[in-house]
Amino acid sequence: MVPLKRRKVVSSQTGTCGTEIKFPQFVLFLLERKMGTSRRSFLSELGRRKGFKVEDKFSETVTHVISESNSAAEVRTWLDTQVRGQTPSVHLLDVSWFTESMQAGHPVQILDRHKLQEQQITEEVVAFSVPSYACQRRTTLENHNMVLTDALSLLAENAELSEEDGRGVAFRRAAAVLKCLPEPVRSMAQLRGLPCLGDHSLRVIKEILETGASSEVESMRESERYKALKVLTGIFGVGAKTADRWIREGIQDLQQLRDSEQTLNRAQQAGLEHYHDLNQLVTKAEADAISEIMERTVISVLPGAQMTLIGGFRRGKQTGHDIDFLITHPEEGREEGLMSKVVSCLEAQGFLLYQKTTRNSYLESSSGPGRPSSNMDRFERCFSIFKLAKEDKRGETLMEDGAKTLNGDPGSHSPSSGQSQASGDRKRASEDGAKDKPSKHKRWRAVRVDLVVSPISQFAFALLGWTGSKLFERELRRWAGHERSMSLSSHALFDSKQGRYLRATSEEEIFAHLGLEFIPPSERNA
Ligand code: UTP
Ligand code: MN
């Protein structure tokens, strides 16, 4: 007898063949898996002729599941994909019970040998257990299930690129559960009872465990649409919507985009121009080099100002797609106007190939945050493309004209496209040269850098909100809302029950307000 956790109600088929049902307390279902379609329908028909109720579709009325050459664990895994909600129990029986009952003309007593073989859960096959919210779990960068999580992440990415965010989050959550497991998954039985693993994810995991790959994932990876979406959204400033529109207009790659008459905004122009560089992962060494330049710049424009590396690098990642910094000043209000000074100073030193600054517009209201989860980008924020000098073998820093400078200080070299702002915001894709090509002689490389300025009163919230991972953040906000009736943003924490904002000067305090164990940045890699 197996208690079923989830059960989907499927309308049941009863009274088949017009034969009288002699044993109404027995509702049988024959599993096609390994039995085969024709044998299954032959046996089902036989059962019905003998007065048994045999269902074609699985439903909550089924009392006995009959299978051939399956283990109990295999049948349970299958059952898990069929049922939702709570249900009493069901017998998992071998086909021998069925054939003996057919011979006897009535249901024979269920003996041990009729029951499906229980797979022994030994130390080798441990069933895993994890809490449901990613923010309750410790997820380091050590991932024992990379093959599975890569596959699920690809499905998530594809869903996001297709603007199916709900599906995207479902796959991200499933991948995150596998990321925090202490060892590689060996059998589906180990996954029983784990949260966030939906039917689709389980199907993909099962196929990979059995065959080493998922046919769905592999064919998606090779599909023209996925490849085109990937290339086009790889351009800084191009999102899923734009890429989709271009694909519908017949643009699949960069050359076709350049040959087209598409109008690009300033971000996209820079993105296309620096395509190659921006699609190379940023290393920790590069992050450190830029940190040093940033630190110096920030302090020079406002002594006492503080700068913190956030995003993936704060979580201990060794590479990233960009570098994120949070800037503040210990005296409230002193941070006002800081962003434009920092940006001007960077520009004057020739460090910026592109920048776009957005203004702060976050205001607390006494009635609580109106749209809590959309408060993510209300800080003064700068999206930029940094011009980072490459180091030669002697540790000296080189710029494109060959002039060598030490300690990463490129003097006052002007960036090639920094001035392009003046020439208007939009231009044709065809006007951009093939400048993204890697050049042996180029002495610098383009790196995406994001800057955020926060007043000290919101610093802890900004730090927590911008450290990521994205899923960890999403789960923190879901936890706050669903489990605590609070709303969390990168600015504040509002307690709806008390009708007030909860102050915090450290991440630890925010976790405490939320009733969560503190998870350090290195364990937020969900
Ligand atoms: P990133 O997109 O930079 O991700 O956002 P990352 O974790 O650093 O990963 P890589 O290495 O760059 O790929 C960093 C954090 O900033 C928050 C995200 O939630 C994430 O936690 N963020 C990002 C925002 O709050 N708002 C945004 O508009 C973008
Ligand atoms: Mn980042």
Side-chain angles (χ1 to χ4, degrees), residues 292-309:
E292 223 175 275
I293 297 169
M294 283 300 307
E295 185 100 47
R296 240 189 303 127
T297 306
V298 166
I299 289 174
S300 78
V301 300
L302 180 65
Q306 291 165 1
M307 193 205 72
T308 314
L309 186 61

Side-chain angles (χ1 to χ4, degrees), residues 2 32 48 81 117 135 169 181 260 338 410 419 429 477 479 517:
V2 184
E32 186 172 297
R48 287 176 194 129
T81 67
Q117 203 67 48
C135 55
V169 173
L181 298 182
S260 76
L338 180 54
Q419 282 87 4
R477 298 196 300 273
W479 167 274
E517 201 179 320

Side-chain angles (χ1 to χ4, degrees), residues 101-158:
S101 298
M102 293 304 110
Q103 276 163 10
H106 61 83
V108 298
Q109 193 191 347
I110 297 173
L111 304 173
D112 269 352
R113 65 182 171 82
H114 292 132
K115 295 178 186 167
L116 286 196
Q117 203 67 48
E118 287 296 333
Q119 198 170 352
Q120 295 229 311
I121 297 186
T122 61
E123 6 3 92
E124 232 211 321
V125 185
V126 188
F128 299 116
S129 150
V130 302
S132 338
Y133 288 84
C135 55
Q136 297 172 291
R137 310 191 290 250
R138 296 175 182 275
T139 314
T140 63
L141 288 166
E142 196 182 5
N143 176 356
H144 301 283
N145 288 286
M146 196 86 87
V147 176
L148 298 175
T149 59
D150 281 354
L152 293 171
S153 302
L154 198 89
L155 293 175
E157 185 192 23
N158 186 62

Side-chain angles (χ1 to χ4, degrees), residues 310-313 315 317 320-324 448 450 466 470:
I310 47 174
F313 286 110
R315 302 196 305 276
K317 280 176 66 178
H321 90 281
D322 67 358
I323 314 174
D324 312 280
R448 282 269 300 107
D450 276 1
W466 290 82
K470 285 201 185 75

